[in-house]
Amino acid sequence: MTRAAGIDCGTNSIRLLIADADPATGRLTDLERRMEIVRLGQGVDRTGRLAPEALERTFAACREYAAAIAAHGVTPDRVRFVATSATRDAANRDEFTRGVREILGVAPEVITGDVEAALSFDGATRELAALPGLTGPYLVLDIGGGSTEFVLGDDAVRAARSVDIGCVRLTERHLLRDGVIADPPGPELVDAMAADIDAALDLAAERVPLTETHTLVGLAGSVTTVAAIALDLPGYDSAAIHHARIPLERVREITERLLAATHEERAAIPVMHPGRVDVIGAGALVLLRVMERTGATEVLVSEHDILDGIAHLAAGG
């Protein structure tokens, strides 16, 4: 076994996976998975810079992760830190890079959207061949905070595109006025957000043939939260959510409910992470518009995603 650690630092959250990788099969055995909402992308769409308070929240999580990595005995050459949308867009990303290196001893790899998409596809699809009733091509949909990745493939990636319609970016772009999020947003704001999503889907479709999808695989917090609500779970249960199949009509019902709810009503949902309360409506709307665009009758939800792909990289796989 090769012990490795992967860190995925996105616009909204930072996650850690420490796992043992079997060199013969490539299968990962989880030792520890952790997630913190740090909102690194706070204001980036507007200012073009990472906010000081967002950097400090992220560095605090990195210090906790460094301690966990050391406790599991992972060597520095088996640690990979991947940074995605927010740091691609920030003028002061060198400050972020320097802080991460000082804390973890490795430099963050600020990857392109296409590389991000390929890692998501690898992490999400390694197990699918063992599931009954699934056929390719698979469309892996990774809804992040700052961007959303579309990856179509069977055994390997055929086409990929990253577009700037993450749940945080959409919320700040359409629902934030004078520092206050519309709560709940009126129909005109929802329509504007939907039009923005549809325009981004047009861009994605220039490179990725979305309507060739046979199985839609949804990743990341917006999708897993919608799934947890659909399953009526009393608390977040990763095992119950992983590989759940959520019908289109259920996604539509939940999206409409979330967009019509107040902050307090969304926060009261048992599975809702506090860091997702204000952005879940936008994330759910992305999922719904993608399902409608591709003709998907259901979404297969995966808890394995880019983080697993990063861990495979760290293990040398």
Side-chain angles (χ1 to χ4, degrees):
M1 291 288 191
T2 301
R3 183 158 296 184
I7 298 172
D8 169 35
C9 185
T11 302
N12 196 44
S13 64
I14 183 169
R15 299 180 301 149
L16 168 70
L17 171 58
I18 301 172
D20 285 333
D22 185 331
T25 66
R27 183 177 296 277
L28 295 176
T29 300
D30 291 8
L31 300 175
E32 188 165 353
R33 281 184 189 259
R34 295 169 67 168
M35 186 272 286
E36 298 289 339
I37 300 287
V38 294
R39 199 69 63 87
L40 178 61
Q42 172 191 332
V44 167
D45 196 49
R46 176 176 53 84
T47 68
R49 298 181 64 83
L50 299 168
E53 60 271 27
L55 282 169
E56 184 46 47
R57 289 193 298 266
T58 305
F59 293 156
C62 286
R63 293 183 191 101
E64 294 181 4
Y65 289 179
I69 289 167
H72 283 284
V74 183
T75 58
D77 62 314
R78 293 300 182 188
V79 178
R80 299 291 284 265
F81 186 114
V82 166
T84 52
S85 177
T87 47
R88 283 200 301 268
D89 302 335
N92 60 333
R93 72 184 195 183
D94 287 349
E95 183 180 352
F96 166 75
T97 298
R98 185 168 55 252
V100 170
R101 186 186 290 113
E102 289 174 356
I103 295 166
L104 285 159
V106 297
E109 302 168 54
V110 182
I111 60 175
T112 66
D114 286 347
V115 172
E116 182 177 353
L119 287 172
S120 294
F121 187 84
D122 177 69
T125 61
R126 283 197 179 220
E127 301 172 320
L128 297 190
L131 297 181
L134 297 182
T135 59
Y138 306 110
L139 178 65
V140 173
L141 171 71
D142 188 347
I143 304 173
S147 64
T148 292
E149 280 65 56
F150 299 83
V151 201
L152 187 77
D154 293 283
D155 295 333
V157 173
R158 284 171 38 189
R161 187 74 183 259
S162 176
V163 292
D164 289 340
I165 52 167
C167 60
V168 174
R169 193 185 298 269
L170 284 169
T171 300
E172 292 186 348
R173 187 180 290 170
H174 294 284
L175 307 185
L176 188 65
R177 296 292 183 274
D178 299 321
V180 178
I181 294 175
D183 187 33
E188 70 285 354
L189 294 181
V190 174
D191 288 346
M193 190 159 55
D196 196 1
I197 295 168
D198 291 344
L201 292 180
D202 290 340
L203 286 176
E206 291 176 1
R207 189 179 299 175
V208 182
L210 300 176
T211 55
E212 292 184 14
T213 303
H214 283 187
T215 300
L216 177 65
V217 184
L219 314 181
S222 292
V223 176
T224 58
T225 300
V226 168
I229 296 170
L231 296 170
D232 199 25
L233 298 177
Y236 196 90
D237 183 342
S238 179
I241 292 166
H242 189 47
H243 290 162
R245 302 184 187 193
I246 311 301
L248 170 63
E249 287 308 314
R250 192 76 172 110
V251 172
R252 180 177 290 114
E253 172 192 332
I254 290 166
T255 301
E256 292 173 353
R257 170 186 165 192
L258 291 169
L259 289 170
T262 64
H263 176 96
E264 289 74 18
E265 289 168 338
R266 294 190 302 275
I269 297 172
V271 297
M272 187 69 65
H273 189 288
R276 297 203 189 279
V277 174
D278 288 329
V279 300
I280 186 60
L285 186 60
V286 173
L287 174 60
L288 176 61
R289 300 302 276 198
V290 170
M291 294 183 74
E292 292 173 339
R293 179 67 168 262
T294 60
T297 58
E298 66 176 19
V299 58
L300 174 73
V301 182
S302 178
E303 285 276 17
H304 294 178
D305 51 27
I306 187 173
L307 184 59
D308 299 76
I310 296 166
H312 282 295
L313 269 185

